[in-house]
């Protein structure tokens, strides 16, 4: 498991800030806008609120609600869950995560395109106030990286480290 943890983290961090030249993919959805012509471009910021809960020693699963801000576009809302497989001991209150969202290949991003499953490495600790880090890759087309590491703040008495899985679904407003 230690090797898998390192491999996932290395993959998520391996994407450069500026990438290789490539042509844009064509979208089937006319409401989408071209967000990035080259890999490694910033698409926006994903900010999430994670429900509090109790670690179950070898894992946890908590509800999450997020907003994605892409420059020049309306804020998109997502809900879902975030879970950890690995060490997770203690009780935590509500916490907040924020990621820089980048692409892994030329892509178009529109309403609901961040929906999907993301996996990667995570670690966090709290004694009163807490901090943490999460590096994830995924999305429906596996073309989105939540990178390089999220910022996380929260409260509780908790320690956790392992492989994380984030599941997002678009919400309509």
């Amino acid at each position: 498991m230690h090797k898998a943890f390192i491999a996932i983290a290395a993959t998520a961090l391996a994407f450069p800030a500026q990438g290789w030249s490539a042509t844009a993919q064509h979208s089937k959805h006319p409401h989408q806008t071209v967000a990035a012509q080259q890999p490694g471009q910033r698409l926006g910021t994903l900010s999430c609120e994670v429900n509090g809960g109790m670690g179950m020693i070898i894992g946890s699963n908590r509800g999450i609600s997020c907003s994605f801000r892409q420059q020049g576009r309306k804020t998109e809302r997502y809900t879902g869950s975030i879970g950890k497989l690995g060490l997770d001991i203690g009780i935590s209150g509500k916490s907040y995560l924020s990621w820089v969202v980048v692409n892994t290949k030329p892509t178009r991003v529109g309403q609901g395109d961040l929906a999907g499953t993301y996996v990667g490495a995570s670690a966090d600790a709290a004694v009163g106030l807490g901090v943490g880090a999460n590096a994830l890759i995924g999305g429906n087309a596996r073309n989105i990286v939540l990178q390089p590491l999220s910022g996380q703040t929260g409260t509780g008495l908790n320690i956790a480290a392992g492989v994380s899985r984030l599941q997002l679904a678009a919400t309509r407003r």
Side-chain angles (χ1 to χ4, degrees), residues 6-157:
I6 291 171
I8 291 169
T11 300
L13 296 173
F15 298 99
Q18 294 298 320
W20 319 275
S21 71
T23 58
Q25 294 177 346
H26 297 288
S27 174
K28 297 176 189 173
H29 308 289
H31 69 279
Q32 293 179 327
T33 61
V34 175
Q37 294 292 333
Q38 296 184 8
Q41 290 182 284
R42 182 181 177 144
L43 304 176
T45 304
L46 183 67
S47 300
C48 302
E49 183 177 290
V50 182
N51 296 339
M54 195 159 157
M56 299 297 174
I57 300 176
I58 59 169
S60 64
N61 195 40
R62 295 186 175 102
I64 192 167
S65 59
C66 303
S67 62
F68 174 59
R69 290 184 186 253
Q70 183 180 3
Q71 188 172 6
R73 297 225 15 178
K74 190 169 110 175
T75 299
E76 297 176 25
R77 307 263 183 231
Y78 293 86
T79 58
S81 63
I82 187 166
K84 289 186 181 86
L85 181 58
L87 176 67
D88 194 348
I89 300 172
I91 299 172
S92 60
K94 190 178 292 187
S95 61
Y96 302 90
L97 299 167
S98 183
W99 284 280
V100 171
V101 179
V102 298
N103 62 316
T104 61
K105 59 186 175 184
T107 191
R108 295 173 184 256
V109 176
Q111 181 90 21
D113 284 341
L114 261 59
T117 301
Y118 298 81
V119 295
S122 68
D124 57 82
V127 177
L129 293 176
V131 295
N134 300 272
L136 304 174
I137 187 170
N140 283 336
R142 304 270 188 258
N143 64 338
I144 303 293
V145 176
L146 303 180
Q147 126 130 349
L149 297 175
S150 71
Q152 176 177 336
T153 60
T155 59
L157 179 59

